[in-house]
């Protein structure tokens, strides 16, 4: 499978996993913060802004495209987990 389609499938699975009966949003939240602390999140988000702005100062990228994709999917999963956890309260 091409890398692009593999990323799309990972993204799509993230959207559908919240419907599983064994879905545990708190586990996903804890997993996210165990991998990405607040400083690492800031670095990833800053890198995303540089990519969005077109890298005006031609700085060398700190993260690969695969790392950025993994972060975006993990961030979205964590945000959905916070939403689902709030719905259960």
């Amino acid at each position: 499978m091409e890398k692009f389609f593999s990323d799309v499938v990972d993204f799509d699975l993230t959207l559908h996993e919240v419907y599983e009966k064994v879905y545990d949003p708190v586990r996903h939240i804890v997993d996210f913060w165990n991998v990405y602390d607040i400083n690492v999140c800031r670095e990833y988000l800053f890198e995303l802004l540089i990519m969005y702005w077109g890298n005006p100062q031609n700085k060398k990228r700190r993260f690969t495209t695969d790392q950025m994709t993994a972060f975006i999917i993990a961030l979205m999963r964590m945000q959905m987990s916070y939403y689902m956890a709030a719905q259960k309260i």
Side-chain angles (χ1 to χ4, degrees):
M1 181 182 319
E2 290 185 35
K3 177 69 176 133
F4 173 77
F5 293 119
S6 175
D7 291 342
V8 170
V9 168
D10 289 343
F11 184 75
D12 194 39
L13 288 175
T14 301
L15 296 174
H16 290 283
E17 70 185 0
V18 297
Y19 296 107
E20 296 175 359
K21 290 183 180 187
V22 294
Y23 179 74
D24 182 12
V26 175
R27 181 180 59 86
H28 288 288
I29 294 167
V30 171
D31 289 347
F32 178 84
W33 289 116
N34 284 334
V35 175
Y36 304 101
D37 66 23
I38 195 72
N39 291 323
V40 172
C41 286
R42 183 184 54 81
E43 291 171 7
Y44 271 99
L45 293 172
F46 185 71
E47 183 79 15
L48 282 169
L49 284 174
I50 288 174
M51 290 170 58
Y52 177 75
W53 290 330
N55 198 1
Q57 298 176 350
N58 291 325
K59 291 185 177 181
K60 184 179 180 204
R61 291 182 56 189
R62 297 178 66 169
F63 304 107
T64 65
T65 303
D66 291 340
Q67 289 173 314
M68 294 300 288
T69 301
F71 173 74
I72 291 168
I73 290 172
L75 182 65
M76 189 188 75
R77 177 179 285 128
M78 186 264 306
Q79 290 174 331
M80 288 177 19
S81 296
Y82 272 115
Y83 177 78
M84 296 303 290
Q87 294 297 316
K88 291 184 178 183
I89 294 177

